[in-house]
Amino acid sequence: MLRPSRFAIPSALLAVALASPSSMEGQNPATEAGAAAGQVIQAVTTRGIMGALLLALDSEGEVVGRGLSGRDGFFTIALPPGGPYRLEVESMGYRIATADSLRISVADTLRLPPIHLLPDTASNPREP
């Protein structure tokens, strides 16, 4: 019986990456993605929050972009040009934060002010 090689999946991903066009030649500039970038921070300490989930939703509530904040809370999410979009940010132990009316330009990055997450005191009840 043949067992899959531990290199099978990475090799397959490499093959797909190499087969994908690496240049933007021939693409319609009106459909080039833009992006939203910023930082998710703790409201109390102003430290970045790693691993916060970010969802960008269109006016019908459909997810058009998603991402996770990285080290020190920084993120960049690719989004289709247009909007308005609503950005929802959540992380365990914090209240969900939203940013509304984001509009994305073609092949441009919208820089957002820091997104402050407040501790969710309901999920951390005090002991008697």
PDB file of all heavy atoms in Angstrom, residues 46-71:
ATOM      1  N   THR A  46      -3.544  49.475  25.213  1.00  0.00           N
ATOM      2  CA  THR A  46      -3.106  49.893  23.871  1.00  0.00           C
ATOM      3  C   THR A  46      -2.059  48.957  23.257  1.00  0.00           C
ATOM      4  O   THR A  46      -1.363  49.332  22.329  1.00  0.00           O
ATOM      5  CB  THR A  46      -2.597  51.354  23.834  1.00  0.00           C
ATOM      6  OG1 THR A  46      -1.390  51.464  24.578  1.00  0.00           O
ATOM      7  CG2 THR A  46      -3.653  52.319  24.319  1.00  0.00           C
ATOM      8  N   ARG A  47      -1.997  47.722  23.739  1.00  0.00           N
ATOM      9  CA  ARG A  47      -1.120  46.713  23.133  1.00  0.00           C
ATOM     10  C   ARG A  47      -1.851  46.038  21.984  1.00  0.00           C
ATOM     11  O   ARG A  47      -3.068  45.843  22.025  1.00  0.00           O
ATOM     12  CB  ARG A  47      -0.714  45.662  24.151  1.00  0.00           C
ATOM     13  CG  ARG A  47       0.221  46.184  25.184  1.00  0.00           C
ATOM     14  CD  ARG A  47       0.684  45.077  26.082  1.00  0.00           C
ATOM     15  NE  ARG A  47       1.648  45.583  27.040  1.00  0.00           N
ATOM     16  CZ  ARG A  47       2.009  44.937  28.113  1.00  0.00           C
ATOM     17  NH1 ARG A  47       1.507  43.750  28.378  1.00  0.00           N
ATOM     18  NH2 ARG A  47       2.892  45.460  28.932  1.00  0.00           N
ATOM     19  N   GLY A  48      -1.112  45.625  20.971  1.00  0.00           N
ATOM     20  CA  GLY A  48      -1.695  44.930  19.837  1.00  0.00           C
ATOM     21  C   GLY A  48      -2.249  43.576  20.231  1.00  0.00           C
ATOM     22  O   GLY A  48      -1.728  42.921  21.137  1.00  0.00           O
ATOM     23  N   ILE A  49      -3.323  43.173  19.547  1.00  0.00           N
ATOM     24  CA  ILE A  49      -3.945  41.868  19.796  1.00  0.00           C
ATOM     25  C   ILE A  49      -3.668  40.968  18.603  1.00  0.00           C
ATOM     26  O   ILE A  49      -4.153  41.222  17.496  1.00  0.00           O
ATOM     27  CB  ILE A  49      -5.465  41.999  20.013  1.00  0.00           C
ATOM     28  CG1 ILE A  49      -5.756  42.867  21.234  1.00  0.00           C
ATOM     29  CG2 ILE A  49      -6.111  40.620  20.140  1.00  0.00           C
ATOM     30  CD1 ILE A  49      -7.227  43.176  21.434  1.00  0.00           C
ATOM     31  N   MET A  50      -2.897  39.924  18.820  1.00  0.00           N
ATOM     32  CA  MET A  50      -2.597  38.961  17.765  1.00  0.00           C
ATOM     33  C   MET A  50      -3.751  37.961  17.638  1.00  0.00           C
ATOM     34  O   MET A  50      -4.317  37.536  18.642  1.00  0.00           O
ATOM     35  CB  MET A  50      -1.310  38.211  18.091  1.00  0.00           C
ATOM     36  CG  MET A  50      -0.861  37.269  17.012  1.00  0.00           C
ATOM     37  SD  MET A  50       0.811  36.689  17.373  1.00  0.00           S
ATOM     38  CE  MET A  50       0.518  34.949  17.502  1.00  0.00           C
ATOM     39  N   GLY A  51      -4.113  37.609  16.416  1.00  0.00           N
ATOM     40  CA  GLY A  51      -5.111  36.577  16.182  1.00  0.00           C
ATOM     41  C   GLY A  51      -6.548  37.053  16.210  1.00  0.00           C
ATOM     42  O   GLY A  51      -7.460  36.226  16.244  1.00  0.00           O
ATOM     43  N   ALA A  52      -6.788  38.360  16.166  1.00  0.00           N
ATOM     44  CA  ALA A  52      -8.164  38.856  16.097  1.00  0.00           C
ATOM     45  C   ALA A  52      -8.722  38.539  14.709  1.00  0.00           C
ATOM     46  O   ALA A  52      -8.034  38.682  13.701  1.00  0.00           O
ATOM     47  CB  ALA A  52      -8.215  40.355  16.355  1.00  0.00           C
ATOM     48  N   LEU A  53      -9.975  38.097  14.653  1.00  0.00           N
ATOM     49  CA  LEU A  53     -10.641  37.770  13.394  1.00  0.00           C
ATOM     50  C   LEU A  53     -11.274  39.035  12.833  1.00  0.00           C
ATOM     51  O   LEU A  53     -11.993  39.737  13.541  1.00  0.00           O
ATOM     52  CB  LEU A  53     -11.715  36.703  13.616  1.00  0.00           C
ATOM     53  CG  LEU A  53     -12.594  36.368  12.424  1.00  0.00           C
ATOM     54  CD1 LEU A  53     -11.773  35.740  11.297  1.00  0.00           C
ATOM     55  CD2 LEU A  53     -13.726  35.440  12.843  1.00  0.00           C
ATOM     56  N   LEU A  54     -11.021  39.318  11.554  1.00  0.00           N
ATOM     57  CA  LEU A  54     -11.590  40.475  10.885  1.00  0.00           C
ATOM     58  C   LEU A  54     -12.432  39.987   9.713  1.00  0.00           C
ATOM     59  O   LEU A  54     -11.955  39.200   8.886  1.00  0.00           O
ATOM     60  CB  LEU A  54     -10.489  41.397  10.379  1.00  0.00           C
ATOM     61  CG  LEU A  54      -9.605  41.962  11.490  1.00  0.00           C
ATOM     62  CD1 LEU A  54      -8.239  41.344  11.459  1.00  0.00           C
ATOM     63  CD2 LEU A  54      -9.527  43.456  11.385  1.00  0.00           C
ATOM     64  N   LEU A  55     -13.678  40.428   9.659  1.00  0.00           N
ATOM     65  CA  LEU A  55     -14.581  40.086   8.564  1.00  0.00           C
ATOM     66  C   LEU A  55     -15.083  41.371   7.934  1.00  0.00           C
ATOM     67  O   LEU A  55     -15.590  42.248   8.635  1.00  0.00           O
ATOM     68  CB  LEU A  55     -15.785  39.277   9.068  1.00  0.00           C
ATOM     69  CG  LEU A  55     -15.511  37.899   9.643  1.00  0.00           C
ATOM     70  CD1 LEU A  55     -16.800  37.297  10.187  1.00  0.00           C
ATOM     71  CD2 LEU A  55     -14.910  36.993   8.584  1.00  0.00           C
ATOM     72  N   ALA A  56     -14.963  41.482   6.619  1.00  0.00           N
ATOM     73  CA  ALA A  56     -15.510  42.619   5.875  1.00  0.00           C
ATOM     74  C   ALA A  56     -16.794  42.139   5.205  1.00  0.00           C
ATOM     75  O   ALA A  56     -16.803  41.113   4.511  1.00  0.00           O
ATOM     76  CB  ALA A  56     -14.516  43.109   4.832  1.00  0.00           C
ATOM     77  N   LEU A  57     -17.885  42.858   5.439  1.00  0.00           N
ATOM     78  CA  LEU A  57     -19.195  42.472   4.924  1.00  0.00           C
ATOM     79  C   LEU A  57     -19.739  43.566   4.007  1.00  0.00           C
ATOM     80  O   LEU A  57     -19.574  44.763   4.288  1.00  0.00           O
ATOM     81  CB  LEU A  57     -20.171  42.252   6.086  1.00  0.00           C
ATOM     82  CG  LEU A  57     -19.657  41.234   7.103  1.00  0.00           C
ATOM     83  CD1 LEU A  57     -19.916  41.713   8.504  1.00  0.00           C
ATOM     84  CD2 LEU A  57     -20.299  39.909   6.868  1.00  0.00           C
ATOM     85  N   ASP A  58     -20.418  43.133   2.927  1.00  0.00           N
ATOM     86  CA  ASP A  58     -21.045  44.109   2.034  1.00  0.00           C
ATOM     87  C   ASP A  58     -22.404  44.513   2.587  1.00  0.00           C
ATOM     88  O   ASP A  58     -22.794  44.089   3.683  1.00  0.00           O
ATOM     89  CB  ASP A  58     -21.133  43.576   0.602  1.00  0.00           C
ATOM     90  CG  ASP A  58     -22.024  42.353   0.454  1.00  0.00           C
ATOM     91  OD1 ASP A  58     -22.807  42.034   1.384  1.00  0.00           O
ATOM     92  OD2 ASP A  58     -21.945  41.703  -0.603  1.00  0.00           O
ATOM     93  N   SER A  59     -23.157  45.310   1.832  1.00  0.00           N
ATOM     94  CA  SER A  59     -24.442  45.822   2.322  1.00  0.00           C
ATOM     95  C   SER A  59     -25.481  44.730   2.525  1.00  0.00           C
ATOM     96  O   SER A  59     -26.441  44.913   3.272  1.00  0.00           O
ATOM     97  CB  SER A  59     -24.980  46.893   1.372  1.00  0.00           C
ATOM     98  OG  SER A  59     -25.113  46.362   0.068  1.00  0.00           O
ATOM     99  N   GLU A  60     -25.305  43.560   1.881  1.00  0.00           N
ATOM    100  CA  GLU A  60     -26.228  42.428   2.079  1.00  0.00           C
ATOM    101  C   GLU A  60     -25.774  41.498   3.195  1.00  0.00           C
ATOM    102  O   GLU A  60     -26.408  40.477   3.462  1.00  0.00           O
ATOM    103  CB  GLU A  60     -26.382  41.617   0.782  1.00  0.00           C
ATOM    104  CG  GLU A  60     -27.261  42.278  -0.267  1.00  0.00           C
ATOM    105  CD  GLU A  60     -26.458  43.221  -1.152  1.00  0.00           C
ATOM    106  OE1 GLU A  60     -25.297  42.868  -1.492  1.00  0.00           O
ATOM    107  OE2 GLU A  60     -26.959  44.300  -1.474  1.00  0.00           O
ATOM    108  N   GLY A  61     -24.644  41.814   3.824  1.00  0.00           N
ATOM    109  CA  GLY A  61     -24.135  40.981   4.903  1.00  0.00           C
ATOM    110  C   GLY A  61     -23.265  39.830   4.431  1.00  0.00           C
ATOM    111  O   GLY A  61     -22.895  38.970   5.231  1.00  0.00           O
ATOM    112  N   GLU A  62     -22.912  39.803   3.148  1.00  0.00           N
ATOM    113  CA  GLU A  62     -22.037  38.751   2.614  1.00  0.00           C
ATOM    114  C   GLU A  62     -20.579  39.089   2.905  1.00  0.00           C
ATOM    115  O   GLU A  62     -20.150  40.234   2.776  1.00  0.00           O
ATOM    116  CB  GLU A  62     -22.227  38.612   1.093  1.00  0.00           C
ATOM    117  CG  GLU A  62     -23.614  38.158   0.687  1.00  0.00           C
ATOM    118  CD  GLU A  62     -23.919  36.733   1.111  1.00  0.00           C
ATOM    119  OE1 GLU A  62     -23.009  35.881   1.051  1.00  0.00           O
ATOM    120  OE2 GLU A  62     -25.063  36.482   1.518  1.00  0.00           O
ATOM    121  N   VAL A  63     -19.808  38.086   3.290  1.00  0.00           N
ATOM    122  CA  VAL A  63     -18.389  38.282   3.567  1.00  0.00           C
ATOM    123  C   VAL A  63     -17.646  38.494   2.251  1.00  0.00           C
ATOM    124  O   VAL A  63     -17.727  37.668   1.348  1.00  0.00           O
ATOM    125  CB  VAL A  63     -17.802  37.082   4.331  1.00  0.00           C
ATOM    126  CG1 VAL A  63     -16.303  37.237   4.520  1.00  0.00           C
ATOM    127  CG2 VAL A  63     -18.488  36.911   5.681  1.00  0.00           C
ATOM    128  N   VAL A  64     -16.936  39.636   2.141  1.00  0.00           N
ATOM    129  CA  VAL A  64     -16.170  39.935   0.931  1.00  0.00           C
ATOM    130  C   VAL A  64     -14.668  39.903   1.196  1.00  0.00           C
ATOM    131  O   VAL A  64     -13.872  39.985   0.267  1.00  0.00           O
ATOM    132  CB  VAL A  64     -16.574  41.295   0.319  1.00  0.00           C
ATOM    133  CG1 VAL A  64     -18.003  41.246  -0.190  1.00  0.00           C
ATOM    134  CG2 VAL A  64     -16.391  42.426   1.309  1.00  0.00           C
ATOM    135  N   GLY A  65     -14.291  39.781   2.464  1.00  0.00           N
ATOM    136  CA  GLY A  65     -12.886  39.697   2.826  1.00  0.00           C
ATOM    137  C   GLY A  65     -12.756  39.265   4.275  1.00  0.00           C
ATOM    138  O   GLY A  65     -13.659  39.486   5.079  1.00  0.00           O
ATOM    139  N   ARG A  66     -11.655  38.604   4.590  1.00  0.00           N
ATOM    140  CA  ARG A  66     -11.419  38.139   5.957  1.00  0.00           C
ATOM    141  C   ARG A  66      -9.931  38.055   6.210  1.00  0.00           C
ATOM    142  O   ARG A  66      -9.139  37.955   5.276  1.00  0.00           O
ATOM    143  CB  ARG A  66     -12.093  36.804   6.210  1.00  0.00           C
ATOM    144  CG  ARG A  66     -11.462  35.647   5.431  1.00  0.00           C
ATOM    145  CD  ARG A  66     -12.175  34.335   5.625  1.00  0.00           C
ATOM    146  NE  ARG A  66     -13.435  34.382   4.913  1.00  0.00           N
ATOM    147  CZ  ARG A  66     -14.562  33.811   5.323  1.00  0.00           C
ATOM    148  NH1 ARG A  66     -14.571  33.106   6.406  1.00  0.00           N
ATOM    149  NH2 ARG A  66     -15.658  33.905   4.634  1.00  0.00           N
ATOM    150  N   GLY A  67      -9.596  38.104   7.488  1.00  0.00           N
ATOM    151  CA  GLY A  67      -8.198  37.991   7.844  1.00  0.00           C
ATOM    152  C   GLY A  67      -8.019  37.878   9.346  1.00  0.00           C
ATOM    153  O   GLY A  67      -8.984  37.930  10.113  1.00  0.00           O
ATOM    154  N   LEU A  68      -6.779  37.703   9.749  1.00  0.00           N
ATOM    155  CA  LEU A  68      -6.407  37.648  11.160  1.00  0.00           C
ATOM    156  C   LEU A  68      -5.330  38.688  11.407  1.00  0.00           C
ATOM    157  O   LEU A  68      -4.461  38.906  10.560  1.00  0.00           O
ATOM    158  CB  LEU A  68      -5.841  36.269  11.526  1.00  0.00           C
ATOM    159  CG  LEU A  68      -6.791  35.094  11.524  1.00  0.00           C
ATOM    160  CD1 LEU A  68      -6.015  33.796  11.756  1.00  0.00           C
ATOM    161  CD2 LEU A  68      -7.856  35.260  12.591  1.00  0.00           C
ATOM    162  N   SER A  69      -5.399  39.305  12.577  1.00  0.00           N
ATOM    163  CA  SER A  69      -4.328  40.238  12.921  1.00  0.00           C
ATOM    164  C   SER A  69      -3.082  39.434  13.272  1.00  0.00           C
ATOM    165  O   SER A  69      -3.152  38.367  13.862  1.00  0.00           O
ATOM    166  CB  SER A  69      -4.747  41.139  14.080  1.00  0.00           C
ATOM    167  OG  SER A  69      -5.038  40.383  15.232  1.00  0.00           O
ATOM    168  N   GLY A  70      -1.966  39.962  12.874  1.00  0.00           N
ATOM    169  CA  GLY A  70      -0.707  39.286  13.123  1.00  0.00           C
ATOM    170  C   GLY A  70      -0.030  39.802  14.376  1.00  0.00           C
ATOM    171  O   GLY A  70      -0.665  40.381  15.259  1.00  0.00           O
ATOM    172  N   ARG A  71       1.250  39.607  14.413  1.00  0.00           N
ATOM    173  CA  ARG A  71       2.047  40.042  15.562  1.00  0.00           C
ATOM    174  C   ARG A  71       1.811  41.526  15.787  1.00  0.00           C
ATOM    175  O   ARG A  71       1.754  42.303  14.857  1.00  0.00           O
ATOM    176  CB  ARG A  71       3.511  39.774  15.264  1.00  0.00           C
ATOM    177  CG  ARG A  71       4.386  40.038  16.416  1.00  0.00           C
ATOM    178  CD  ARG A  71       5.792  39.653  16.099  1.00  0.00           C
ATOM    179  NE  ARG A  71       6.515  39.583  17.357  1.00  0.00           N
ATOM    180  CZ  ARG A  71       7.646  38.962  17.498  1.00  0.00           C
ATOM    181  NH1 ARG A  71       8.182  38.335  16.482  1.00  0.00           N
ATOM    182  NH2 ARG A  71       8.248  38.948  18.649  1.00  0.00           N
TER     183      ARG A  71
END
